[in-house]
Amino acid sequence: AYEIYQCDWSSDVCSSDLAVPPPRQVEIAEGELAQGIDHQLTDAAANRGFGGAVVIEQRGQVVLKGGWGLANRRTHVPFTADTVAQVGSITKTFTALVASQLAVEGKLDLNVPVKTYLPTAAEPAASATLNELMTHTAGLTDYCGGDFDRLTRDQLLSRCMARALEHPRGQASYSNMGLSITAAAIEAVAGKPWDEVLAERVWRPFGMNDTGWTFPGRSSAPFAVGYRNGSAAQPVISDQLRDLAGADWNLRGNGGIQASASDMLRLFHGLMAQPEAVKALMLTPHAQGDEAGMGRAGASGQDPGRDGQQADQQGNPGQQAALTGTPGQNNGQGNAGQNSGQGNPAQLTQAQDRK
């Protein structure tokens, strides 16, 4: 059963005090499918410690929008569809979207060596193209250090890009570092930080007011924190990124963004409204083994390079996220889900969808 916890704030140790029904913040639940998912997530919150949010749209109509359980067990903050939570490797989708926009505008060539835009970059990675970097076919190692190990942009371009290739070029092998290098190229072309470019080109135009990197001037108190197997709360990732003061290149471009489930649906709509040339780059497979399109190999949160764990758990193993969509069909559907406890919302909703 779900339990409220009383905590010793100095030690972050919590003990159960009073069993109560978990919060359920459901705004819309229309139809058999939505009601079935609502029932499953209500049960997961009550019996498995699930805390998360799901938004589902079918044929242009939102049929399920809500939050279940707690985003923060210590402060009893309920999860809602507008709760800010980690989206993990969906960060790669943002990076690839901006790179695709710049390519269509003629400001980036995805098929020339990245050293064209990063002249101080070290070989062998400097000879990789942006297309290879975003489709995980550059032969690079997965990452150049732990998520929160300090790494500057200059260190990425020199030390990390100098690492020997781990795979033949052209062979698909997941690489977080490839998307960080892509972010560096975006900064070089745009003349401003990667997250500022995302804010200008994606977050603000799409109306994504609950999406960000370090959220300057905004308290993280209502943000979701992660839990795993009943463990104490994990740190809020934007606080950790802020503490790195720019030496965040082990995550920049490939992970670490936080957003609400409602904003994830806005991302889906914004992507579908892009020029056809941008959508073609984003949604068309570009390499052998690339089933989803440029930069989207991790869009559902899977990161095979990290021992099969969810990429959304980067530095915070208690959080998962998923964004799926079937655009351009009569039964077009967009789904966005997040959680910070036990039970994956994507798996739960997919299981219900099969029934």
Side-chain angles (χ1 to χ4, degrees), residues 14-300:
C14 303
S15 62
S16 60
D17 176 59
L18 178 66
V20 297
R24 176 181 172 274
Q25 305 283 322
V26 176
E27 299 177 44
I28 302 171
E30 297 182 0
E32 183 178 353
L33 170 65
Q35 291 168 7
I37 295 171
D38 178 19
H39 175 76
Q40 284 201 352
L41 296 181
T42 299
D43 177 75
N47 297 303
R48 285 188 275 164
F50 173 81
V54 171
V55 179
I56 297 178
E57 179 183 274
Q58 290 182 311
R59 302 176 182 90
Q61 178 181 353
V62 175
V63 297
L64 180 62
K65 180 179 181 180
W68 295 260
L70 292 172
N72 188 317
R73 296 174 184 174
R74 291 199 305 169
T75 58
H76 306 166
V77 174
F79 228 119
T80 75
D82 298 316
T83 296
V84 174
Q86 284 194 56
V87 301
S89 276
I90 298 174
T91 299
K92 296 176 176 64
T93 301
F94 289 100
T95 300
L97 175 54
V98 169
S100 298
Q101 291 173 337
L102 291 170
V104 169
E105 294 168 12
K107 298 173 182 176
L108 274 180
D109 186 335
L110 305 183
N111 296 305
V112 301
V114 71
K115 62 187 174 185
T116 305
Y117 308 104
L118 303 172
T120 63
E123 296 287 3
S127 290
T129 68
L130 287 166
N131 179 67
E132 290 172 328
L133 293 169
M134 289 190 286
T135 57
H136 307 277
T137 57
L140 303 183
T141 183
D142 186 1
Y143 45 88
C144 191
D147 289 344
F148 304 106
D149 292 344
R150 295 183 62 83
L151 184 72
T152 66
R153 182 179 183 275
D154 287 345
Q155 289 170 331
L156 171 71
L157 300 187
S158 57
R159 188 178 78 206
C160 299
M161 293 184 70
R163 288 189 169 191
L165 299 183
E166 285 196 353
H167 311 277
R169 285 182 63 179
Q171 176 181 312
S173 183
Y174 201 93
S175 174
N176 282 286
M177 190 172 74
L179 273 296
S180 292
I181 297 169
T182 302
I186 289 171
E187 291 196 351
V189 169
K192 60 187 65 176
W194 161 83
D195 51 313
E196 290 185 17
V197 180
L198 295 187
E200 290 181 3
R201 286 179 164 267
V202 181
W203 301 339
R204 287 198 290 271
F206 292 7
M208 300 176 68
N209 297 321
D210 291 315
T211 301
W213 181 244
T214 57
F215 294 86
R218 185 167 172 178
S219 170
S220 64
F223 293 1
V225 297
Y227 303 89
R228 193 176 190 181
N229 299 325
S231 66
Q234 306 296 310
V236 173
I237 196 168
S238 51
D239 293 340
Q240 295 174 287
L241 292 169
R242 192 179 304 118
D243 290 343
L244 290 174
D248 51 21
W249 283 88
N250 276 312
L251 273 175
R252 183 174 290 253
N254 73 73
I257 284 177
Q258 294 174 102
S260 67
S262 294
D263 270 7
M264 287 291 95
L265 186 59
R266 294 182 182 103
L267 172 61
F268 177 78
H269 283 296
L271 177 57
M272 292 303 101
Q274 291 295 293
E276 291 300 320
V278 173
K279 287 196 291 184
L281 286 173
M282 288 294 294
L283 302 177
T284 303
H286 294 269
Q288 184 177 2
D290 176 17
E291 298 179 354
M294 190 164 292
R296 292 176 59 82
S300 63

